[in-house]
């Protein structure tokens, strides 16, 4: 999440980006995926620690994190396209 926010130029943009990311998390991810993202990026756990928390191996945790982030990316890209289409 910090990676997404890093590119924001001003406070309004940061707030808007945070809201958009939170909406994406709620709209795009399953309960388990939300927990994985929360553990990794909000609580700051290492990948292996995330795996322990959710009961999977470190390599599996890596895969689940990547898939969750990919779902967020796709959701955000689609949301951006919808937003741009409404402005035209």
């Amino acid at each position: 999440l910090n990676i997404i926010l890093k590119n924001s130029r001003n406070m309004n943009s940061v707030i808007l980006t945070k809201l958009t990311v939170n909406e994406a998390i709620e709209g795009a991810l399953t309960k388990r995926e939300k927990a994985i993202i929360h553990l990794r990026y909000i609580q700051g756990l290492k990948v292996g620690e995330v795996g322990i928390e959710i009961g999977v191996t470190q390599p599996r945790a890596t895969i689940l994190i990547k898939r969750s982030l990919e779902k967020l990316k796709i959701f955000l890209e689609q949301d951006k396209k919808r937003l741009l289409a409404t402005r035209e």
Side-chain angles (χ1 to χ4, degrees), residues 5 9 19-20 25 29 33 40 42 44 63 65 69 73-74 86-87:
L5 298 178
R9 292 193 176 151
L19 291 173
T20 303
I25 289 170
L29 302 181
E33 292 165 336
R40 180 70 176 112
I42 305 301
I63 291 167
I65 291 166
L69 291 174
K73 181 181 172 186
I74 291 167
T86 60
R87 289 184 179 177

Side-chain angles (χ1 to χ4, degrees), residues 10-57:
N10 59 45
M11 186 54 82
N12 289 337
S13 181
V14 169
I15 292 169
L16 182 59
T17 303
K18 283 183 178 181
L19 291 173
T20 303
V21 171
N22 286 334
E23 290 171 4
I25 289 170
E26 289 301 314
L29 302 181
T30 65
K31 189 175 181 178
R32 182 179 190 203
E33 292 165 336
K34 289 176 195 174
I36 289 167
I37 295 298
H38 181 80
L39 291 169
R40 180 70 176 112
Y41 296 102
I42 305 301
Q43 291 188 10
L45 298 183
K46 295 178 182 175
V47 175
E49 295 170 326
V50 172
I52 291 168
E53 288 290 322
I54 63 171
V56 299
T57 63

